Amino acid sequence: MMKRKIISYALLIFLATKLMLGMNEYEGINIEIFEPNNKVNEVNSTYEVINESSSVNVNEDTLLTSNNIEEKEFRGIWVSNIFNLDYPNKPTTNEETLKSEAIKILDNAKDMGFNAIILQVRSSSDSIYNSKIFPWSKYLTGIQGKAPENNFDPLQFFIEEAHNRGLELHAWINPYRITKQPSDINTLSLNNPAVLFPELTFTSEGNLYFNPGEPKARQLIVDGVKEILDNYEVDGIHLDDYFYPSVKDYNDIKSFEQYGKNFYNINDWRINNNNLLVSELNNLVHAKNPNLKFGVSPSGIWANKSSNPLGSDTKGWESLKNIYADSRYWVKQNYVDYIVPQIYWNIGFEAADYKILVNWWSDVVKDTDVKLYIGQAAYKVYNTDPTSPWYGVNEIERQINLNRTSEYVDGYMMFRYKFFSTNPGLYNLIKELNKETNTQVEIPNQNYEYRIMEYDKNLNENEDYIVMYSEAAGKKSIIPRSRYYDGKVIGISNKTGSFYTTYNEKGFTDINEHPLKEHIKYIASRNIILGYNGKFNPNINIKRGDYVLMLMRLVEIENTNVTDNFKDVNINDYYYNEISTAKKYGLINGVGYNLFAPEKGVTRQDLFVMTYRALDALNMISDETIADSHNIYKDKDEISEYALEAIGYFTQKNVLTGDNGNVKPMIMANRSETAAFLAKLLKSEIMIMTTVE
């Protein structure tokens, strides 16, 4: 272990005085003293700089993804209860059978690299949990309303065992469906709300549904979700693609006449009914816990471009027109945390091309806070036609690879579990695709040293832009951790060669009135974050690749001659060397399948976490975070668990102070905010620290 020492600027001045009196070392810290007034005029072209390319406003995901520090690529798998498709294999009341089957599902899911179980807990106005509103499912025990032996609760068991394995558990409900086949009507239990409140239902093709146009029917669904949230530690609530029945033989005219007077036609009213349900569930879920996830998995085609100019370039079944599911609107209104369009077609399929739909949905989530996961048709790999694109497992692999190179896709859900457990080829494929590799090498001792140099400051010079730089073999490099103090420039660096001082004020034409102007100029004067053609572009979001580059500049970690890098980082990319070096030393990891998504944006909390991780790897974190330091923020409940330590630490060090009492953890970090954070970090006591033997 390396010892850590905190040295104040006042102490450094004291040390300088001692050194001038003949001391060459103090407490093992080497300090070089230069002759005064080594002051030169900066010529920008003499500095080696790599310009960040302009980024775009994106809806991001996560930056660090290893060791449970940050959210990874979402890898969900649906586990169906209806018709005993996945769980249980057949109806039973036996507790041990129900437990053993659940454990096998969870163990296999974990082994394949999934990180979320989407468990169907209500398929048809029923439940696989102990509910006071909905009866026990006949698919669970064989008879609707009959409980498992010993009052065993499968949902509670799934949650506990999933969490023991580091898996999320999302409760999947079908909101309106009461029966799946007409004969089921005769098997409904007497305490089924459809039996108790028949006025809230209608029929379609002989099946019963709750009427979305009846406010009490929607409230029943909301109450059912509230019951789950009040009694179970689920990680999210999930709706599938069933809303209104697709065959319009149902009769909801009376409901329309009573509740639809403000609508020009019944179709708009039906769309609004679904909008109300989704909005109400969103509010309910996040009132319970802002960190819970609420998502919907609609049909893959919202509307074809031929029928709606906002639609996709497809020729398929439209969910907006057929079941009144305005999933695009839900995303644009941020009614959901994630959307999972079921894109159950192959790449290149003429009527509904997978790639075209991925791009269309990517455009939908752009500039929103909604994550995009793709619902994928694992069931189609059972196609026996050798000429079919679905023959074998190659199409699933192509689709996952496409997802992972898409800027806005943050994960997938596979339909469904049993198609993996009964197909060794598919099982092994997804396991290989989800395999995490760790090639981390211990970061070498960076040999940071303190240096103090005299500086004759002119009256018109701003001390914030007085810096130290090194020159070796004709290469000049600004020392990021250098600043002016009382006639001297103090620097901390691992650079070698000759050291000088200079005045390095940077000006940008688009920040004159910006509230973070001084922070921007401070960090730019140290060549950590640069501009484009005289402009800074303060409101453009920071990309993942750019922030790695900035962080490596900040802590002066030298690039290594590494050829190993993430698949989506091209050798010609300007951040290639920084990302490969950061990967080698374990400062970053990818989003799965050796991908990093360098062009994606960074949330504020992920920016803080990545910085904390890098400083910790360099032994620059001096003490433990005080518990609950993050509680000063009004939006503390929005902070993800993995970010609490980093945000708490930077808060107690006064690097983070909040904006009107908020830390805004989920907001995308733009260039000006990033510059402000790094400027405050550089001025803090954290960056006055060094590591010595």
Side-chain angles (χ1 to χ4, degrees), residues 217-498:
R218 294 196 303 271
Q219 188 59 48
L220 176 69
I221 295 161
V222 171
D223 289 343
V225 171
K226 184 177 186 301
E227 181 183 47
I228 294 173
L229 298 176
D230 287 344
N231 294 286
Y232 298 94
E233 295 295 324
V234 295
D235 298 291
I237 297 294
H238 179 87
L239 304 185
D240 58 19
D241 58 329
Y242 287 91
F243 290 92
Y244 275 86
S246 58
V247 177
K248 300 179 179 64
D249 60 346
Y250 47 85
N251 187 346
D252 58 352
I253 296 297
K254 289 184 178 179
S255 299
F256 175 60
E257 291 174 348
Q258 184 174 359
Y259 302 111
K261 296 177 182 178
N262 294 327
F263 293 85
Y264 290 112
N265 61 67
I266 196 170
N267 292 339
D268 288 346
W269 172 72
R270 288 168 175 166
I271 289 172
N272 188 64
N273 292 332
N274 283 330
N275 292 348
L276 288 173
L277 177 68
V278 173
S279 175
E280 289 164 2
L281 289 176
N282 175 60
N283 292 337
L284 171 69
V285 169
H286 296 110
K288 179 67 176 179
N289 184 341
N291 290 325
L292 289 176
K293 299 173 183 177
F294 172 55
V296 180
S297 179
S299 299
I301 298 175
W302 171 75
N304 298 312
K305 186 166 62 175
S306 59
S307 62
N308 189 312
L310 296 176
S312 52
D313 188 12
T314 51
K315 301 178 182 67
W317 189 88
E318 303 165 294
S319 63
L320 178 63
K321 179 188 296 185
N322 289 293
I323 59 175
Y324 308 106
D326 196 352
S327 47
R328 182 182 183 277
Y329 179 78
W330 304 337
V331 172
K332 294 301 185 182
Q333 295 299 313
N334 288 300
Y335 285 170
V336 292
D337 295 303
Y338 65 80
I339 195 81
V340 193
Q342 297 173 19
I343 307 180
Y344 288 173
W345 305 281
N346 59 277
I347 297 171
F349 183 60
E350 184 177 356
D353 188 320
Y354 182 93
K355 183 175 182 179
I356 287 175
L357 282 164
V358 166
N359 291 338
W360 186 86
W361 282 101
S362 294
D363 187 66
V364 171
V365 302
K366 182 180 178 181
D367 298 328
T368 73
D369 295 327
V370 178
K371 292 184 182 297
L372 174 60
Y373 311 141
I374 305 299
Q376 294 182 241
Y379 66 91
K380 288 192 173 182
V381 302
Y382 280 77
N383 193 302
T384 58
D385 179 3
T387 65
S388 169
W390 289 104
Y391 182 75
V393 300
N394 291 338
E395 180 62 22
I396 290 293
E397 181 175 11
R398 284 192 292 269
Q399 292 182 0
I400 290 179
N401 288 341
L402 189 151
N403 294 348
R404 288 171 170 171
T405 57
S406 175
E407 184 174 355
Y408 296 101
V409 177
D410 291 313
Y412 61 78
M413 287 188 192
M414 290 290 172
F415 189 80
R416 54 184 167 76
Y417 168 75
K418 197 161 285 186
F419 293 107
F420 289 87
S421 65
T422 59
N423 187 325
L426 187 58
Y427 187 109
N428 292 329
L429 170 72
I430 202 71
K431 182 176 180 178
E432 180 64 25
L433 292 179
N434 290 338
K435 184 183 296 183
E436 297 288 352
T437 58
N438 184 3
T439 58
Q440 179 178 345
V441 175
E442 183 177 355
I443 193 166
N445 183 6
Q446 293 298 297
N447 297 315
Y448 293 110
E449 295 182 351
Y450 284 91
R451 292 176 173 84
I452 301 176
M453 299 174 63
E454 299 287 344
Y455 187 90
D456 185 12
K457 178 180 174 296
N458 294 335
L459 292 177
N460 62 344
E461 290 181 340
N462 186 322
E463 64 183 46
D464 277 353
Y465 314 132
I466 299 171
V467 296
M468 187 182 294
Y469 72 94
S470 68
E471 183 172 5
K475 176 182 176 181
K476 296 180 179 181
S477 302
I478 293 286
I479 306 304
R481 295 163 66 189
S482 62
R483 63 183 297 184
Y484 177 85
Y485 182 87
D486 194 24
K488 296 176 175 60
V489 179
I490 302 161
I492 306 169
S493 177
N494 57 11
K495 293 287 191 297
T496 58
S498 300

Side-chain angles (χ1 to χ4, degrees), residues 38 71 75 135 155 157 164 172 204 213 258 263 266 309-310 316 325 332 382 439 456 485 491 521 592 595 634 641 684:
N38 286 326
E71 182 182 0
R75 303 167 183 166
L155 176 56
F157 186 77
N164 287 341
W172 162 23
S204 176
Q258 184 174 359
F263 293 85
I266 196 170
L310 296 176
K332 294 301 185 182
Y382 280 77
T439 58
D456 185 12
Y485 182 87
K521 293 182 67 175
L595 296 167
K634 297 175 185 176
E641 185 175 354
S684 73

